[in-house]
Amino acid sequence: MKDWLGTSFHEFFLPERIRAVDDHIFSDPNGLSLIKESEAVIDKIITHVLEKGPVKGTQVYKKNGRTFKLRLKVSQKRLKLMSFDTHLSPSAIKKRIVITFARQQTQKPTKKLLKEGLVYYMKNGKSHVRNIQKSPFFHGVIEKLIQLDGALDGHAPATATGTASTTEDLSPSEDEQQEQSRYDTAVRNLYRQDADLPQALSNRLHKLLEEINALTPSLHLLAIEDRHQVKRMIDEDIPDLLDAYRDLDEDDQTEQMSRVYEALTKMELNLQHVQEQENRVKTDRFEYLLKLNEKRYPNKD
C-alpha cells in the first residue's frame, strides 16, 4: 500500500487519471475476485468465438452477475471492456473498470495497443479515478484481451509486440527474477523447519515442499491470485503454523499434532489444485491450436 511518504513528489500534481492506482484497491479478496471474474468471462467469449468463427461488425457481450457486471464491446477497430461491482458486492470499495484496447490489425506496430485503462471508485465519501495500465493485477486481463483479438482475426493468441510494458512475457523480467530469488530463499528456510518436528509432521512437510518445488519453474506464469497465495503460504502460513506449534508445551503438541498434520495436508491439496489449473491452461491452449488449424486447413475430401 502506498502512502504520501512512498509517493514521488511530482505525482501529487498529475491529473487523477494519470496517477497509478494503489495496490490495496485490488489486493483484497473482493478486488481480486472482480479481476478473476472478468478474466473468466473473456475466456468464455474466446471459446465462443473459436466455436462460431470470427465475428463481423460490432458485437456486445454482457455478463450480469449477482456481485459484478461486465460489458465488452467488440468493433473492427477496438475492444472496450467495462466491469464493475454491483450494490450486492461485499467489497467495501465499489469499483468500475474501463479498458480500451486497439485491435492489432488496425494499429501501427510502434503504437501501444492499450489506449485506456482506468478504475473509478468511491473512498472516504469522495470519487476517484486512477490509472491501471501499469498495475500488475491487470496483466491477466490484458493478456486475455490480446488472445481475444487474435481469436477474432483467426490467429493463435499470442502476446502483442506493442504491449511489452503492460503484459507479462513468457520469460521472467528482472523484477520477477528478484521475486523468484526471494521465493527460493523462503523455500530453503522451510526445509530447515523439520529439525525438531515429529516424524509424521516432518514427512507431511516434505510432501508439501515437493508440491511447492513442482510449481517453482512456472511461478511467474501463474495467475496473480494463485501466485500471491503460494507466496503467502511459504512466507507466512507454513512457518507461522509450525512456530506456533513449537511454542506449545509437550502435552499440547501431542494433542494438537493431528490438527497441524491436517492443515499441512490442506495446503498440499491446494497446491495440487493450482498445478491442475496450470496444466489445464496448457491443455486448453493445445486444443485451441488444433481447432484453429482445423479451421484453416479443412479436409478438402
Side-chain angles (χ1 to χ4, degrees):
M1 183 186 301
K2 295 191 295 184
D3 56 22
W4 70 273
L5 289 173
T7 305
S8 59
F9 179 74
H10 75 277
E11 190 169 343
F12 287 106
F13 299 96
L14 293 175
E16 273 206 295
R17 62 180 49 241
I18 297 179
R19 293 167 62 179
V21 64
D22 289 344
D23 287 347
H24 77 274
I25 298 297
F26 290 103
S27 61
D28 68 296
N30 295 316
L32 290 171
S33 176
L34 177 62
I35 294 172
K36 298 302 290 184
E37 291 281 4
S38 300
E39 290 182 16
V41 174
I42 300 173
D43 262 336
K44 290 182 179 179
I45 296 173
I46 292 172
T47 300
H48 174 78
V49 171
L50 291 176
E51 292 176 350
K52 303 298 182 180
V55 299
K56 296 182 178 180
T58 299
Q59 299 286 332
V60 177
Y61 300 91
K62 297 180 180 180
K63 169 67 176 180
N64 295 318
R66 179 175 176 274
T67 60
F68 95 106
K69 293 186 178 183
L70 180 144
R71 182 177 183 270
L72 178 62
K73 184 178 181 180
V74 176
S75 68
Q76 296 302 310
K77 292 186 177 181
R78 63 180 58 88
L79 308 174
K80 185 161 186 178
L81 172 73
M82 183 172 69
S83 182
F84 59 93
D85 293 307
T86 69
H87 69 285
L88 295 176
S89 170
S91 179
I93 301 177
K94 302 295 190 293
K95 299 166 287 294
R96 178 164 61 93
I97 301 164
V98 179
I99 296 175
T100 303
F101 184 87
R103 300 287 301 277
Q104 296 183 52
Q105 288 194 349
T106 64
Q107 194 72 0
K108 294 181 180 179
T110 56
K111 298 292 185 179
K112 288 186 177 181
L113 300 179
L114 185 59
K115 296 300 184 182
E116 178 187 40
L118 300 172
V119 56
Y120 301 82
Y121 60 93
M122 293 289 295
K123 185 178 179 183
N124 300 328
K126 296 181 179 180
S127 61
H128 300 273
V129 55
R130 291 290 187 271
N131 196 292
I132 61 175
Q133 293 191 30
K134 294 184 179 180
S135 172
F137 293 99
F138 285 88
H139 287 166
V141 174
I142 303 303
E143 185 65 30
K144 297 295 182 186
L145 291 175
I146 293 172
Q147 293 177 7
L148 175 59
D149 184 28
L152 289 166
D153 289 331
H155 301 305
T159 301
T161 57
T163 56
S165 62
T166 57
T167 58
E168 292 179 315
D169 294 322
L170 292 180
S171 58
S173 67
E174 184 176 347
D175 288 342
E176 288 166 342
Q177 289 173 357
Q178 293 177 355
E179 179 186 38
Q180 185 73 45
S181 178
R182 292 192 294 269
Y183 174 89
D184 293 338
T185 299
V187 172
R188 286 196 296 271
N189 290 336
L190 286 181
Y191 274 99
R192 304 188 186 102
Q193 289 276 354
D194 71 342
D196 53 354
L197 290 177
Q199 189 62 47
L201 292 184
S202 177
N203 292 341
R204 178 49 55 192
L205 176 61
H206 277 271
K207 288 287 186 182
L208 179 55
L209 289 170
E210 287 177 6
E211 293 295 335
I212 291 172
N213 286 328
L215 281 172
T216 296
S218 57
L219 178 67
H220 71 286
L221 298 178
L222 295 179
I224 291 171
E225 186 176 5
D226 291 335
R227 189 163 69 243
H228 171 74
Q229 187 177 53
V230 173
K231 288 167 55 184
R232 185 187 62 197
M233 183 185 297
I234 294 167
D235 291 335
E236 302 174 18
D237 296 344
I238 299 174
D240 288 352
L241 175 64
L242 297 180
D243 286 343
Y245 173 77
R246 290 190 183 91
D247 287 340
L248 300 175
D249 60 40
E250 188 173 344
D251 290 340
D252 287 339
Q253 284 186 359
T254 302
E255 182 179 346
Q256 300 297 335
M257 185 176 69
S258 61
R259 298 180 66 188
V260 177
Y261 186 95
E262 181 181 0
L264 294 175
T265 301
K266 288 180 178 179
M267 292 182 195
E268 181 184 340
L269 292 174
N270 182 274
L271 291 179
Q272 289 175 355
H273 177 68
V274 172
Q275 184 69 65
E276 289 171 0
Q277 286 183 315
E278 176 70 12
N279 292 336
R280 194 176 302 120
V281 169
K282 294 176 182 177
T283 302
D284 290 345
R285 175 169 173 75
F286 174 73
E287 292 293 337
Y288 167 82
L289 292 173
L290 286 180
K291 289 182 180 180
L292 185 65
N293 277 278
E294 288 173 0
K295 289 181 177 293
R296 286 178 173 173
Y297 313 109
N299 191 336
K300 299 300 182 181
D301 294 338

